[in-house]
Amino acid sequence: DGDELFRLELAVEAELRRLEQPAGSVYRREVLADWAFATDTDSATKQAASTEAFLATAAFEDRVKANLRALIGEGTRAAETGLCPSTARQLRFLLEESADPSDPADRKRLSEVVNRMESIYNRGRACLPIAREDGGEPQTECVGLEPDIEEVMAESRDPAVLLSAWRQWRDSVGRNVRPLYSEYVELRNRGAVDNGFADAGEFWRTGYDMRPDQFRGLMVELWEEVKPMYGHLHCYVHRKLSEHYGSEAMHTSPAGVGAAAAAAAADELRNEGLLPAHLLGNMWGQEFSSIADLVQPFPGVPALDLTPALEAREPPATAHSLHEMAEDFYTSLGFSPLPDSYWEFSML
């Protein structure tokens, strides 16, 4: 009845308030441990701390779910429908199952696998001609993805250098990550099935305030809406790159290693009108901003460039001062200033 629902809502709200402090502490610990490892992935000590923090968070979330279910009883979903929308939404997210395995040994292994893949990713290298600050002849150096390889992918217009960078980095990362990623998929899917999902993909699609099948349908609908525009854009970029690089470069696939594979990949590029991923300005071929000089539709119109104005400031703008400018903008709108911990843990 109404009185019972009112008492339930008061009890749930009290429990949610009680959870704020311990939850903040647990999640802060995990974030800090993850950040410490992300900025020093060669440290076995920091990797172990990250795994330990992940397991502590998982155990905390298990206790929270158990306590909330005990408070609400078996009719969890029915109780949610009678609560005010904000309380019901908090409750739903707190009770939502995860794709983490239920077995503690599997949970630990999952964290170790993720951290190991991140370490391999950050240690990936490619040996490339790197421009010298004094303007001399480029020197061949074995460098990492950020910032060196990314700068080569964005700035070089030599298709051979771009192809080499694309292949070398993936050879040093992808081949080593592959067996770990297969294990990661197996562990994630096992955890998802443990928690009532078909697989980890279905779990990921539950986080959008709609059923997984509704989310899939919405994505298909949105893709169909933008597909014609994207087709025109793809065709335009293909023509512009062809004008600059020529037929041979456009029909060289970064994935085609070996004579037979290269020939097959070239045929696919030619027949399907595909874009060679290594010519698109970044390691993932995900956007075209770095090749704007090759594909902009009005090459005679100068782009807006704030660099001279920033360099002319007294003192000249720095990465730190740019963040402070952004902070000033947001505080002028009424947002809170950045906490001291932002500057303390920043990589700036």
Side-chain angles (χ1 to χ4, degrees):
D1 59 16
D3 289 343
E4 183 178 349
L5 184 60
F6 178 68
R7 287 193 294 272
L8 175 62
E9 178 136 20
L10 290 178
V12 170
E13 289 180 350
E15 179 66 7
L16 293 177
R17 286 194 299 271
R18 187 191 70 79
L19 287 171
E20 287 181 1
Q21 191 281 327
S25 177
V26 168
Y27 291 124
R28 173 180 167 80
R29 177 193 174 194
E30 183 179 18
V31 168
L32 290 178
D34 286 347
W35 179 247
F37 174 63
T39 53
D40 186 10
T41 53
D42 289 330
S43 170
T45 301
K46 292 178 180 178
Q47 179 175 342
S50 176
T51 297
E52 183 182 347
F54 166 77
L55 295 176
T57 299
F60 172 78
E61 290 176 344
D62 286 345
R63 292 194 299 273
V64 167
K65 290 172 185 176
N67 291 341
L68 287 172
R69 289 189 177 113
L71 177 65
I72 295 172
E74 294 299 321
T76 302
R77 296 303 178 192
E80 283 181 28
T81 61
L83 300 174
C84 76
S86 62
T87 302
R89 190 170 189 270
Q90 289 181 70
L91 191 61
R92 184 167 68 255
F93 280 110
L94 286 170
L95 290 173
E96 191 173 72
E97 298 293 355
S98 72
D100 295 336
S102 56
D103 185 282
D106 284 345
R107 278 187 178 177
K108 182 178 180 182
R109 180 56 184 163
L110 175 63
S111 179
E112 291 171 345
V113 166
V114 170
N115 287 339
R116 178 63 180 149
M117 288 193 295
E118 184 174 352
S119 180
I120 292 171
Y121 179 96
N122 288 334
R123 290 205 309 269
R125 293 290 183 270
C127 298
L128 303 166
I130 303 298
R132 292 168 51 181
E133 291 185 3
D134 61 7
E137 285 296 315
Q139 301 272 327
T140 297
E141 298 180 32
C142 295
V143 294
L145 179 64
E146 298 177 355
D148 299 290
I149 299 177
E150 287 190 339
E151 288 180 356
V152 169
M153 297 299 295
E155 297 172 7
S156 176
R157 296 297 178 257
D158 184 332
V161 170
L162 294 171
L163 183 63
S164 179
W166 198 98
R167 282 181 175 167
Q168 284 189 64
W169 187 81
R170 280 173 169 75
D171 284 345
S172 70
V173 172
R175 297 185 183 198
N176 294 312
V177 161
R178 184 170 184 170
L180 291 167
Y181 190 78
S182 296
E183 186 178 1
Y184 166 81
V185 171
E186 181 181 345
L187 289 167
R188 275 293 187 205
N189 282 336
R190 189 184 305 165
V193 171
D194 287 347
N195 290 294
F197 299 98
D199 52 34
E202 184 179 71
F203 163 72
W204 288 332
R205 293 189 295 275
T206 62
Y208 298 92
D209 285 337
M210 64 183 78
R211 297 194 316 271
D213 60 311
Q214 291 177 315
F215 178 77
R216 185 190 292 274
L218 178 60
M219 291 301 99
V220 171
E221 181 181 334
L222 292 174
W223 166 242
E224 290 301 325
E225 287 183 16
V226 302
K227 187 177 179 180
M229 180 276 294
Y230 188 81
H232 288 302
L233 177 62
H234 185 286
C235 184
Y236 171 81
V237 170
H238 190 283
R239 177 168 64 85
K240 285 293 188 179
L241 291 177
S242 296
E243 291 173 356
H244 180 79
Y245 286 112
S247 177
E248 182 178 353
M250 291 298 293
H251 297 147
T252 300
S253 169
V257 178
D267 287 341
E268 185 175 19
L269 284 170
R270 185 179 295 106
N271 296 334
E272 301 296 331
L274 304 180
L275 296 172
H278 62 294
L279 301 182
L280 297 180
N282 70 34
M283 188 56 81
W284 319 115
Q286 63 199 154
E287 43 90 18
F288 304 142
S289 61
S290 294
I291 57 170
D293 57 307
L294 301 181
V295 301
Q296 59 182 324
F298 304 105
V301 178
L304 180 62
D305 184 4
L306 296 179
T307 302
L310 292 171
E311 291 176 339
R313 290 171 61 93
E314 195 56 50
T318 64
H320 193 283
S321 66
L322 288 174
H323 278 69
E324 290 179 326
M325 284 185 223
E327 181 183 23
D328 289 343
F329 169 75
Y330 284 106
T331 55
S332 73
L333 299 178
F335 290 95
S336 300
L338 291 167
D340 292 340
S341 58
Y342 176 86
W343 305 105
E344 179 183 354
F345 295 108
S346 173
M347 292 179 68
L348 290 175

